[in-house]
Amino acid sequence: GKSCGDDGCGGSCGDCTAGQDCTAGQCVEAELGNTCANPIVIDTLPFSYNGDTTNATNDYSYGDNACPGESTGWGGGSNDNVFMFQPTASGTVTVTLSPEYDSTLYIATDCTSINTSCIGGVDELITTGSEVLTLDVSADKPLYIFVDGYSNFSSINGAYSLNVDGPCAPVCDGISCGDDGCGGTCGC
């Protein structure tokens, strides 16, 4: 019998422990990056990672208007990978996803409640274009970065590279108008 997941009657057969995923009704060790139970941890910046969502599972998505920057919800039918990043400094972070498939990129502060904790999402509506998010972040507050296929109806997946740069703390002391050192401007 099943030890986890849907019981077929609207209830649950149970939950898996931390570090496990429910696969075909059984609790198994979570694949690295497959779920929030075993995310790929970003421990230093700049960070660069080459991955593939082909053998991942479809665990995450976001709804309409849930992520600033995106009015449409995406990812409901596609395989995804999840990363966890806890900034050591407050400032600006830029996350760039370069996929070989039509993707969506989104970031949330609570992995169990993406629709209420999403702080940014992007889907450029280009089959293999880059997705870029630039966000202000706070030190010591964990962020979950989701690499997902755009589709809500079928699994759009494949190889990708993910780059994370920052945080960059803008410096405007003594500058009335000019570059803040992070790609923005001071006082203009």
Side-chain angles (χ1 to χ4, degrees), residues 138-162:
S138 299
D140 301 321
K141 295 195 177 179
L143 303 173
Y144 294 92
I145 301 169
F146 298 89
V147 172
D148 207 341
Y150 85 94
S151 181
N152 289 321
F153 305 104
S154 62
S155 187
I156 306 298
N157 54 66
Y160 66 88
S161 65
L162 183 76

Side-chain angles (χ1 to χ4, degrees), residues 92 136 168-173 175 177-188:
T92 302
D136 291 328
C168 185
V171 177
C172 291
D173 294 338
I175 301 172
C177 182
D179 184 9
D180 68 0
C182 295
T185 57
C186 298
C188 300

